[in-house]
Amino acid sequence: MSYDVELIRADFPILERRVGEYPLAYLDSANTSQKPQVVIDAMVDHYERHNANVARAMHVLGAEASAAYEAGREKVAAFIGADRADEVVFTKNASEALNLAAHSLGQGLKPGDEVVITVMEHHSNIVPWQLLCARTGATLRWFDITDDGRLDLAKAAAENLINANTRIVSVGWVSNVLGTVNPIAQIAAQAHAVGAVMVVDGAQAVPQLTTKVAESGADLVAFTGHKMVGPTGIGGLWGRHDLLTELPPFLGGGEMIEIVRMTGSTFAPPPYRFEAGTPPIAEAVGLGVAADYLAELGMADVAAHERAITAYALETMQQLDGLAVLGTTEVGPEGRGGAISFTLATRDGLDIHPHDVMTFLDSRGVAVRGGHHCARPLHERLGITASTRASFYLYTLEREIDQLVEALAYTRDFFGRAA
Amino acid sequence: MSYDVELIRADFPILERRVGEYPLAYLDSANTSQKPQVVIDAMVDHYERHNANVARAMHVLGAEASAAYEAGREKVAAFIGADRADEVVFTKNASEALNLAAHSLGQGLKPGDEVVITVMEHHSNIVPWQLLCARTGATLRWFDITDDGRLDLAKAAAENLINANTRIVSVGWVSNVLGTVNPIAQIAAQAHAVGAVMVVDGAQAVPQLTTKVAESGADLVAFTGHKMVGPTGIGGLWGRHDLLTELPPFLGGGEMIEIVRMTGSTFAPPPYRFEAGTPPIAEAVGLGVAADYLAELGMADVAAHERAITAYALETMQQLDGLAVLGTTEVGPEGRGGAISFTLATRDGLDIHPHDVMTFLDSRGVAVRGGHHCARPLHERLGITASTRASFYLYTLEREIDQLVEALAYTRDFFGRAA
Amino acid sequence: MSVEAMYQEIILDHYREKHHSGLREPYGAQVTHVNPTCGDEVLLRVQLDGDVVADVSYEAVGCSISQASTSVMSDLVIGRSVADALALHEEFTEMMHSRGELEPDEDTLEDGIAFIGVAKFPARVKCALLGWSAFKDAAAQALATKES
Amino acid sequence: MSVEAMYQEIILDHYREKHHSGLREPYGAQVTHVNPTCGDEVLLRVQLDGDVVADVSYEAVGCSISQASTSVMSDLVIGRSVADALALHEEFTEMMHSRGELEPDEDTLEDGIAFIGVAKFPARVKCALLGWSAFKDAAAQALATKES
Ligand SMILES: Cc1ncc(COP(=O)(O)O)c(C=O)c1O
Ligand SMILES: Cc1ncc(COP(=O)(O)O)c(C=O)c1O
């Protein structure tokens, strides 16, 4: 069956909502995605019929809940292309996954060691490394970007950015602002050549691209459930099995232990070593179903739809006088993902602030995000304080893009009239 | 209206389940509680009609989701007796809350400093402090217990356990194994007298007792959603506002920042400072409804029911030859909560291992837990490796206790016959 | 209330031409306030002369609501006693938290009454308060420095 | 399958009287294996004589399934070549993961076939494998030490 967006939309109850007289055009999926009915239903069924704690409970409900939780892990592992299910650690979101990486990888860091990130990272892939460097005295270094919003690999090479002192390199796979798809394998090769560990923030990649973590070059990949049609309250860290086996624990508590003695404790093998306390059980059930839902649609088709809708949006949006897209406007597998950030000005050159744009768009049924999108250093690098972002997903229609463009023109003209 | 357990049970769909020919007797609520329909429905409604990311999204759905998330915080804050809603930090579970406490409070610890916990703690209130002491060189010290399973305050005084070197004292409010209710206010006063911070693990207290954190003497209280008829994937840390304001962040990422610069970042005020990344949004909605559900039942009545059912269980269980209850058997507000751990032996003195007990009970519809219940040091202190635990909640019936006792007798006799 | 009505002419005028904008010397206190969810920032200075607000100068980035509100605020407080200025802060804040249900007093709030419409958009209330909060903070610090 | 049928007489007999229990010298390797969710623990020693398992001794705490299984295992492997013992480990493990659908071979597994019922209770499979896994681990270590 071919990819039928209207049919797919019927799976998402919220897409029927209206905002006043307008249909809802939800163009904020890079912020969080909507959920298909099957995902919601799976969690309801879990709570109504199978709820129990996992691992520790061995009665009927406990066995059902444990099996459901581990099935969630297996589905997610298969979806992201992991070699084994026990390479997937469940966390509460991508941010926790990145903090786990920073704490566990970073335990032995010392002054002189270097951690490398990029100026286009989300705050969740910046602050954990800043805190790590503050704790250990290591130095944080940054990839810069080129004017079209790609990583400036030439400058990095010239600066010897990745060198013998580099211990960790952490890079976003797909930018949540620019949509840039970064050359993970290439950077991973550089990192590995100097003995550094390669961490990848896959929060925007896993929902949009066919992800094969085992072949990506990465050692650790963070992702988050709510952006991939799954529930809130769950994310994950994939790690190469041999690396996970070596890493010390981060959060301590029930379930991550082997033997707890008053004199000290030993820890369970991965993934349990990194899952302290009662995990997000119903959420793992929901995320497993979300992964299956995406796999059934076919990630190649999802990605193709994302490219098509992004191309359409780029084309129509750029016809608007006063609208400037940030970063690259090339679409394609190596091109960009489905997030378009832009600035808007009136015909007489007054910048319309993203908040004002957002409020106007909202009043016309169009949900976008305005601000720095948790990427303030990137905005500073681009010389602006904020932008407006429209982001698309597997359920986005061309008609919603049209609604966006119309609302943008109206907004621009409203602010222009005031001149 | 008086407290009508049969009526209340109708709110919990899972309680209709059967195990083979037996009705389900779910006596594992200290492990995780079941969920009333209103809690499940609230999350469904959220996903189907209001789902969006919070704080960062200012469109209609974003405003609805943010309001719902913050309303969840307000309900929970009111339920636990906090002075202000912004004293409640949402985490993924009680374990994360305790790790947050250990990392944020413990940042300045050094050799010579002491952290005090008790031998009856859950691993989640042990391992974070062991890891903290390993990181900082501080010393971990322990309250012992008396033979009837209460904290040995006399021994602690004799040992000068809490002294000028003490920086942090962390104690469970209600033991998940023994049911002991610990004298938090008294220990907090001792901690405060030497300038130490008082942390309380309220995971078992908040679901069962009328909790007034602001009057408890504690500075920080951890709790968890899934044990208080709320969803998995959410817990919380309550903290005195002035203390939270001083504490450094733990997890870094989106939403917990003020300004992120390449040269360093500043952080948001609490509670946001401690909530990195997309929080458990639907879960906060569910937990708010759970808190309201409990408040409507009336926590005084819930606690009274817990005492009554525990008294009934203690009385009938102790009539079984070969059954020995761990800890105190006094019921009452200062007495014990609704978790009863015990050992079982055949008439000829063969110990029946808790796993074997559990498997037999399970086959007769009775769900209990067997093992060390994440409290291995306590079991070692008691000279055993494991126990069986039956635990009750607001929906537990006397008939379920009868079913338990009958199944225990059957199990004992089965293993006895083999002699 | 429509979004168009919320963006009153007064607000857009102040957005286009911010009064008292730019940083000036001398000043008694300087603060930075931020709306972390959206990145709006204001760096604001207050200079007192006795108990009178002699000057308010600032550098701000942000939306039309936060910019215009800061501009209106500076018009209102400069030349007033600190006590009166803080009373205005109170009155403005109360109006913004009224969900648009308060009848604002044009005699005291002057151009500030244009923001009554914003009070109906909870997501934007913070924007309107950014400059005012910064002023309150800076004024308190300037007073404290004076006294010590 | 009923729980009563799972607890075969053989299992209960081995539980009541564990064969080869207790720690003995000499030994080539010693390991501790734990089932962290339930706290079952086994400290197990293996002594090799050439490539024959000369002795297996252990101290274990845990349920009847894990205890009996360890006892049965020691009966089976002592006196056998390491290769044969590891093949038995394979066979037993396969049986335990069969969800009870395999027809176990009494000629090779002897008393071990009593655990086929346990294979139908996924929650208890780990219990039956604890001692066997410890043996495999210790035997490998003992071999390694010998060779190095
Ligand atoms: C006393 C106590 N503390 C902490 C916890 C940990 O709670 P969670 O598993 O939700 O993190 C539990 C429950 O398992 C508990 O009973
Ligand atoms: C690129 C990127 N990294 C990390 C995150 C953080 O994800 P979460 O908020 O689920 O922790 C996000 C989303 O907000 C993101 O877009």
Side-chain angles (χ1 to χ4, degrees), chain A residues 57-326:
Chain A
M58 291 196 247
H59 42 69
V60 168
L61 292 184
E64 289 173 3
S66 300
Y69 178 67
E70 293 303 334
R73 195 192 306 277
E74 279 159 28
K75 286 167 201 260
V76 170
F79 179 73
I80 63 172
D83 284 338
R84 6 188 327 172
D86 63 3
E87 291 182 336
V88 172
V89 176
F90 281 131
T91 60
K92 69 174 172 178
N93 52 26
S95 303
E96 186 199 338
L98 291 162
N99 280 274
L100 159 52
H103 276 264
S104 287
L105 283 178
Q107 218 158 82
L109 254 55
K110 50 186 190 321
D113 290 341
E114 296 178 3
V115 176
V116 176
I117 61 176
T118 91
V119 75
M120 71 163 83
E121 295 312 308
H122 188 280
H123 292 163
S124 292
N125 199 26
I126 296 176
V127 181
W129 307 110
Q130 288 183 326
L131 294 173
L132 171 63
C133 289
R135 278 198 303 279
T136 61
T139 302
L140 189 61
R141 299 188 63 186
W142 306 68
F143 274 96
D144 195 7
I145 53 169
T146 61
D147 287 339
D148 67 340
R150 305 204 163 274
L151 289 183
D152 194 337
L153 301 176
K155 184 173 169 191
E159 285 173 348
N160 198 20
L161 184 67
I162 296 179
N163 61 55
N165 296 323
T166 309
R167 295 286 165 270
I168 302 166
V169 178
S170 189
V171 175
W173 201 327
V174 175
S175 161
N176 66 316
V177 177
L178 306 174
T180 321
V181 180
N182 287 319
I184 293 305
Q186 187 181 342
I187 299 173
Q190 293 175 21
H192 291 154
V194 298
V197 175
M198 179 73 188
V199 182
V200 170
D201 174 1
Q204 295 290 344
V206 171
Q208 289 185 43
L209 307 178
T210 308
T211 313
K212 296 264 171 263
V213 288
E215 299 158 22
S216 66
D219 299 306
L220 298 171
V221 177
F223 56 95
T224 199
H226 66 94
K227 293 191 206 280
M228 50 187 285
V229 308
T232 55
I234 190 164
L237 183 68
W238 167 83
R240 275 194 300 104
H241 186 258
D242 54 342
L243 176 61
L244 287 185
T245 301
E246 280 169 19
L247 286 183
F250 170 40
L251 301 179
E255 295 318 303
M256 51 70 75
I257 54 93
E258 186 182 62
I259 303 184
V260 175
R261 295 199 176 83
M262 289 176 68
T263 48
S265 300
T266 56
F267 304 108
Y272 306 107
R273 184 187 303 162
F274 307 105
E275 295 183 350
T278 302
I281 305 169
E283 290 80 0
V285 170
L287 185 56
V289 173
D292 278 356
Y293 180 85
L294 292 174
E296 253 167 67
L297 286 185
M299 281 307 288
D301 286 352
V302 168
H305 173 71
E306 189 90 22
R307 280 197 299 276
I309 200 84
T310 305
Y312 179 78
L314 281 168
E315 190 193 311
T316 52
M317 287 166 71
Q318 287 186 105
Q319 285 164 16
L320 276 177
D321 256 6
L323 186 145
V325 171
L326 307 184

Side-chain angles (χ1 to χ4, degrees), chain B residues 346 348 350-360 363-364 369-373 376 385-386 410 414-419, chain D residues 2-9 12-13 15-16 35-41 61-67 121 123-124 127:
Chain B
T346 62
D348 65 332
L350 176 76
D351 281 331
I352 312 173
H353 192 276
H355 286 175
D356 297 316
V357 175
M358 198 177 54
T359 296
F360 263 77
S363 78
R364 305 176 85 78
R369 184 170 170 196
H372 53 46
H373 319 307
R376 191 181 177 285
T385 57
Y410 176 85
F414 178 90
F415 280 85
R417 250 198 328 271
Chain D
S2 77
V3 64
E4 290 84 354
M6 158 181 161
Y7 282 87
Q8 300 216 357
E9 212 59 49
L12 295 176
D13 286 348
Y15 181 43
R16 290 192 166 262
N35 186 341
T37 53
C38 61
D40 282 7
E41 295 175 20
V61 293
C63 64
S64 60
I65 305 295
S66 76
Q67 304 273 29
F121 290 77
R124 306 305 299 277
C127 310

Side-chain angles (χ1 to χ4, degrees), chain A residues 346 348 350-360 363-364 369-373 376 385-386 410 414-419, chain C residues 2-9 12-13 15-16 35-41 61-67 121 123-124 127:
Chain A
T346 61
D348 65 331
L350 175 76
D351 281 332
I352 313 173
H353 192 276
H355 286 174
D356 298 316
V357 174
M358 198 176 56
T359 296
F360 263 78
S363 77
R364 307 177 83 79
R369 183 170 172 197
H372 52 45
H373 319 308
R376 191 181 176 283
T385 57
Y410 177 85
F414 178 90
F415 280 85
R417 249 200 326 273
Chain C
S2 76
V3 65
E4 290 83 355
M6 158 181 162
Y7 283 86
Q8 301 216 356
E9 211 59 49
L12 295 176
D13 287 349
Y15 181 43
R16 290 191 166 263
N35 186 342
T37 52
C38 59
D40 282 6
E41 295 176 21
V61 292
C63 65
S64 62
I65 306 294
S66 76
Q67 304 275 29
F121 290 77
R124 307 304 300 276
C127 311

Side-chain angles (χ1 to χ4, degrees), chain D residues 2-77:
Chain D
S2 77
V3 64
E4 290 84 354
M6 158 181 161
Y7 282 87
Q8 300 216 357
E9 212 59 49
I10 301 179
I11 294 179
L12 295 176
D13 286 348
H14 276 275
Y15 181 43
R16 290 192 166 262
E17 197 161 326
K18 289 176 265 183
H19 302 180
H20 307 287
S21 168
L23 294 174
R24 285 179 298 278
E25 312 252 343
Y27 59 93
Q30 165 174 310
V31 301
T32 300
H33 275 218
V34 175
N35 186 341
T37 53
C38 61
D40 282 7
E41 295 175 20
V42 58
L43 171 66
L44 183 140
R45 294 173 174 179
V46 167
Q47 170 67 358
L48 301 183
D49 180 3
D51 66 352
V52 168
V53 179
D55 194 21
V56 170
S57 70
Y58 59 91
E59 213 167 73
V61 293
C63 64
S64 60
I65 305 295
S66 76
Q67 304 273 29
S69 165
T70 304
S71 171
V72 168
M73 177 274 295
S74 65
D75 275 353
L76 281 169
V77 301

Side-chain angles (χ1 to χ4, degrees), chain B residues 30 33 64 174 271 308:
Chain B
S33 68
E64 289 173 3
V174 175

Side-chain angles (χ1 to χ4, degrees), chain C residues 10-79:
Chain C
I10 300 179
I11 294 179
L12 295 176
D13 287 349
H14 277 275
Y15 181 43
R16 290 191 166 263
E17 196 160 328
K18 289 177 264 182
H19 301 180
H20 308 287
S21 166
L23 295 173
R24 286 179 297 280
E25 312 253 344
Y27 60 92
Q30 164 173 313
V31 301
T32 300
H33 275 218
V34 176
N35 186 342
T37 52
C38 59
D40 282 6
E41 295 176 21
V42 58
L43 171 66
L44 182 141
R45 295 173 173 180
V46 166
Q47 170 67 1
L48 301 184
D49 180 3
D51 65 351
V52 168
V53 179
D55 194 20
V56 170
S57 69
Y58 60 90
E59 212 166 76
V61 292
C63 65
S64 62
I65 306 294
S66 76
Q67 304 275 29
S69 166
T70 304
S71 171
V72 167
M73 179 273 295
S74 65
D75 274 352
L76 280 169
V77 301
I78 293 175

